Amino acid sequence: MIIKNVSLETVCGITSKLPDNQLPEVAFAGKSNVGKSSLINALMNRKSLARTSSQPGKTQTINFYNINGSLYVVDLPGYGYAKVSVEVKAKWGKMIERYLRTSKQLRLVFLLIDIRHKPSANDVQMYEWIIHNGFYPVIVATKKDKIKRSQLLGQLKLIKTTLGVTEGTPVVAFSAETKEGRDDIWDLIETYALEEEEEAFQEAEDEELTTHE
């Protein structure tokens, strides 16, 4: 996709009302410091639109980025941040769950996993939680440039096995450094979010033409 216009349109905190968007949405979930902001910046060809930080737990809100006036990229709060209180973690969890359950435009969820490590209990819980809410997430294995090429297949297998991913689930290895995997992610977004929208628009247009005839 050619990115012409990008803007951070809506920021939702724990008590905020979620926007009633009319455009398709794709959401990105992942534990703190997994590289979510770096991935979103890479997707949008921006260096610092989504704030990156070496300090985990930076994203504490749900951020809606409007892409070309045709799509929302939704950045969900990072989970599993040890220094956050149990009460705050619970509120973040409820906020994410509320979004997954109530968004009328959510088309696709990406779950980010650090390729260097075995998925944590929090990662497994999030994967199962997303499925429980009616979505089969695409797995993005981040930080591909941090491992040797010979380790790649083994680490991807470890991720799939630990999460218990459904057969046929797309798994994309991604590097924020080299941008490898970026085009694959956009292909999935265009296939599952934008093409569906274009088909619905075409059907509505055809129906309107038939009515006028």
Side-chain angles (χ1 to χ4, degrees):
M1 171 180 275
I2 298 172
I3 310 297
K4 296 178 181 177
N5 300 296
V6 179
S7 62
L8 175 55
E9 188 171 293
T10 310
V11 177
C12 294
I14 289 169
T15 58
S16 302
K17 181 182 178 183
L18 292 169
D20 185 17
N21 291 327
Q22 302 305 308
L23 300 174
E25 299 169 0
V26 293
F28 290 82
K31 70 181 180 183
S32 299
N33 220 23
V34 75
K36 190 153 47 65
S37 296
S38 296
L39 183 148
I40 289 172
N41 285 330
L43 285 177
M44 297 188 285
N45 285 332
R46 301 294 190 275
K47 288 186 177 179
S48 57
L49 190 65
R51 289 182 300 170
T52 59
S53 174
S54 58
Q55 178 186 356
K58 194 72 176 175
T59 305
Q60 301 178 14
T61 53
I62 299 179
N63 299 332
F64 292 79
Y65 296 92
N66 188 318
I67 315 296
N68 293 347
S70 62
L71 171 79
Y72 285 104
V73 164
V74 184
D75 185 7
L76 300 174
Y79 56 84
Y81 181 39
K83 293 185 180 179
V84 172
S85 69
V86 173
E87 184 182 357
V88 171
K89 283 181 187 176
K91 286 180 178 177
W92 284 359
K94 286 179 182 177
M95 180 165 60
I96 294 171
E97 185 174 31
R98 179 162 59 101
Y99 170 70
L100 292 175
R101 282 186 175 177
T102 63
S103 171
K104 296 175 183 176
Q105 300 298 337
L106 183 58
R107 301 287 188 269
L108 189 61
V109 180
F110 291 86
L111 177 59
L112 279 58
I113 305 291
D114 190 328
I115 199 169
R116 299 173 297 176
H117 310 297
K118 179 180 179 180
S120 67
N122 281 326
D123 290 325
V124 175
Q125 184 179 37
M126 179 56 72
Y127 178 76
E128 292 174 349
W129 202 15
I130 293 169
I131 289 179
H132 178 71
N133 282 283
F135 297 92
Y136 285 89
V138 171
I139 307 300
V140 179
T142 61
K143 309 192 181 186
K144 179 180 181 290
D145 53 284
K146 305 294 185 186
I147 64 169
K148 296 176 183 177
R149 185 178 296 181
S150 60
Q151 296 175 290
L152 178 61
L153 292 179
Q155 291 303 109
L156 291 176
K157 184 178 180 181
L158 179 63
I159 289 172
K160 292 178 188 177
T161 304
T162 306
L163 294 179
V165 297
T166 306
E167 189 175 345
T169 296
V171 179
V172 180
F174 174 79
S175 165
E177 293 292 324
T178 66
K179 307 299 184 288
E180 185 177 348
R182 178 184 182 275
D183 290 346
D184 295 326
I185 293 170
W186 269 120
D187 285 346
L188 288 163
I189 291 173
E190 290 176 352
T191 299
Y192 292 100
L194 295 178
E195 283 184 9
E196 179 182 318
E197 199 71 11
E198 287 171 8
E199 286 172 8
F201 176 79
Q202 189 60 53
E203 284 176 10
E205 206 170 53
D206 292 345
E207 190 174 318
E208 191 174 332
L209 285 171
T210 304
T211 303
H212 283 100
E213 287 172 2

